[in-house]
Amino acid sequence: MKRLAILGSTGSIGQSTLSIVEQFPERYQVAALAAGRNLDEAFAQTVRWRPQIVSLATEELAADLSLRLLQAGVVGIEVVYGTEGTVACATLPQVDFVVSAIVGVAGLEATHAAILAGKPVGLANKECMVAAGEILTAAARQRNVPILPIDSEHNAVHQCLRVGAHAEVKTIWLTASGGPFRQLPLDQFATITPEQALKHPTWVMGRRITIDSASMLNKGLEIIEACRLFDVAPSQVKVTVHPQSTVHSLVEYVDGSILAQISVTDMRLPILYALAYPERPASMLTFDLASLRHLDFEPPDFERFPCLRLAYEAAEKGGAHCIALNAADEVAVEAFLARQISFMGIPRTIEKVLAATPEAHPATIAEVLAADREARQMAHALLA
Ligand code: MG
């Protein structure tokens, strides 16, 4: 029986994780939930799953939840809040596995704390790997703690890497759906609205990641994530646009063999893989091969998607530039959703912030967070 801490339990990955727990009650139990700001959902999850500890974003929300639990006659559950609360969830002694699914660098400290506490981590939070990948992977190696990617592409790569040695890997191919604007003429990119950008053709996800998929910045973050997770150079990670999202990624070996992972477009599969690794439990997530007609692959268009180029540049420089790429994007996406900047204003903002970012390699989580704040301030100042 694995006892889980789910960081980001009310988000889409958190809810999918809980649906896996629901289907495998003999394998998984919920010990800790970090729920953020959605009080109603946090209350429902706490009543349903009875964790030992639950964390909310703020002291006020935690007090509201405590009161509602008391009124409902649910007692004996510790309610905490803030970063300290998330860290308490991640490091609870009874926890065997931590699902890190808080969006943004908000989940960074807790993910780091989980690794330091020797907890295997299922990582859905790519921003953690982008901003602090070197620190997290070094800590994980030192303590022999596995970091299992839940991001569908990296999960696919993890699976394909199990058949060959690191030195035999030539190229990691990350597939990209291409998002809703794969075929939109370049001259129409200026008038893209948030509503158009929020319509992803194949995946239902949170708001920021959906916009990031439309701009392909998400794929850029995934390039950096792959470099950190699999210890390869940026030049070894390539992107191929694959509109069907059937092949979740591929690994090309030096002998010319390319291995691909195919499965349903459902995040429960990579979540289950990470939770169960190295086992493969029988699941209901079957893929109907007979219904598959064709698989298309094409090179990405760097002109329409300048975020990809910016990500390679940041990946080459590493450290502060990767932090700035992620931070500037988050600020720019918010501004786009608030209709303060255009869609192409997103890469323009990122490019300016990257150009103004000094080369540096933060060595601690505190330094990472400071660099993150600086990049955000810079982005806000540029947009003001
Ligand atoms: Mg992905």
Side-chain angles (χ1 to χ4, degrees):
M1 177 69 75
K2 270 187 195 170
R3 286 157 300 182
L4 311 181
I6 304 172
L7 315 182
S9 64
T10 57
S12 78
I13 296 292
Q15 297 200 23
S16 293
T17 305
L18 288 170
S19 91
I20 292 289
V21 179
E22 186 103 54
Q23 276 150 23
F24 295 90
E26 72 294 349
R27 281 180 171 264
Y28 308 112
Q29 223 171 52
V30 177
L33 293 172
R37 293 182 185 281
N38 186 341
L39 184 64
D40 289 337
E41 188 62 28
F43 174 72
Q45 289 182 351
T46 307
V47 171
R48 166 69 182 85
W49 296 104
R50 306 288 168 123
Q52 281 175 249
I53 182 169
V54 55
S55 182
L56 278 291
T58 65
E59 186 172 9
E60 199 180 9
L61 286 166
D64 288 348
L65 180 64
S66 296
L67 185 65
R68 284 179 66 172
L69 289 173
L70 191 68
Q71 285 164 348
V74 178
V75 293
I77 293 170
E78 190 182 353
V79 181
V80 292
Y81 61 91
T83 302
E84 266 173 55
T86 318
V87 169
C89 289
T91 57
L92 188 75
Q94 291 84 353
V95 162
D96 304 304
F97 191 96
V98 175
V99 175
S100 171
I102 295 175
V103 178
V105 292
L108 181 51
E109 282 172 77
T111 305
H112 188 230
I115 293 168
L116 293 182
K119 316 279 192 198
V121 171
L123 189 74
N125 175 331
K126 70 191 70 179
E127 294 90 349
C128 279
M129 262 304 144
V130 170
E134 286 151 69
I135 298 171
L136 296 178
T137 52
R141 263 195 301 273
Q142 220 172 56
R143 284 162 185 79
N144 204 18
V145 169
I147 300 177
L148 294 148
I150 288 176
D151 205 350
S152 62
E153 295 80 357
H154 303 76
N155 188 269
V157 171
H158 191 275
Q159 299 195 38
C160 296
L161 285 174
R162 286 170 78 173
V163 299
H166 186 263
E168 296 164 350
V169 174
K170 185 179 176 193
T171 302
I172 288 174
W173 288 95
L174 299 177
T175 53
S177 72
F181 309 130
R182 186 170 60 88
Q183 288 167 322
L184 189 75
L186 183 58
D187 59 10
Q188 288 176 34
F189 270 60
T191 56
I192 289 171
T193 64
E195 290 73 23
Q196 289 172 303
L198 284 169
K199 270 196 202 114
H200 194 275
T202 46
W203 292 100
V204 177
M205 307 173 291
R207 279 162 69 87
R208 183 195 168 194
I209 188 171
T210 304
I211 301 298
D212 284 349
S213 296
S215 71
M216 291 196 78
L217 189 276
N218 179 55
K219 209 51 56 182
L221 297 178
E222 289 181 354
I223 292 165
I224 299 170
E225 186 185 7
C227 293
R228 302 291 180 260
L229 276 171
F230 307 121
D231 195 22
V232 293
S235 58
Q236 283 180 280
V237 182
K238 290 181 181 156
V239 172
T240 178
V241 174
H242 168 50
Q244 290 91 3
S245 297
T246 298
V247 174
H248 295 298
S249 275
L250 316 91
V251 173
E252 181 176 357
Y253 285 93
V254 287
D255 66 350
S257 285
I258 299 180
L259 274 88
Q261 189 261 346
I262 291 179
S263 59
V264 284
T265 307
D266 187 323
M267 287 309 290
R268 288 178 299 173
L269 194 134
I271 292 169
L272 178 61
Y273 174 88
L275 291 180
Y277 178 83
E279 290 175 59
R280 287 188 186 271
S283 91
M284 57 302 158
L285 299 162
T286 52
F287 181 83
D288 179 17
L289 202 57
S291 71
L292 185 63
R293 284 296 164 268
H294 54 94
L295 298 171
D296 298 315
F297 298 94
E298 62 191 42
D301 182 341
F302 282 72
E303 210 185 327
R304 275 193 272 179
F305 302 104
C307 286
L308 272 182
R309 170 179 57 82
L310 296 171
Y312 273 111
E313 287 169 14
E316 285 292 347
K317 288 186 173 154
H321 279 81
C322 294
I323 297 167
L325 178 84
N326 173 59
D329 174 68
E330 198 170 311
V331 173
V333 166
E334 275 166 33
F336 169 68
L337 288 173
R339 297 169 209 280
Q340 288 157 2
I341 59 170
S342 72
F343 187 69
M344 290 310 253
I346 297 172
R348 275 197 293 274
T349 305
I350 298 169
E351 181 143 37
K352 284 180 193 160
V353 172
L354 286 179
T357 299
E359 237 170 280
H361 291 270
T364 64
I365 297 296
E367 285 174 28
V368 168
L369 293 173
D372 178 77
R373 276 193 299 273
E374 237 167 81
R376 272 164 215 274
Q377 279 166 7
M378 219 186 300
H380 279 299
L382 276 166
L383 292 173

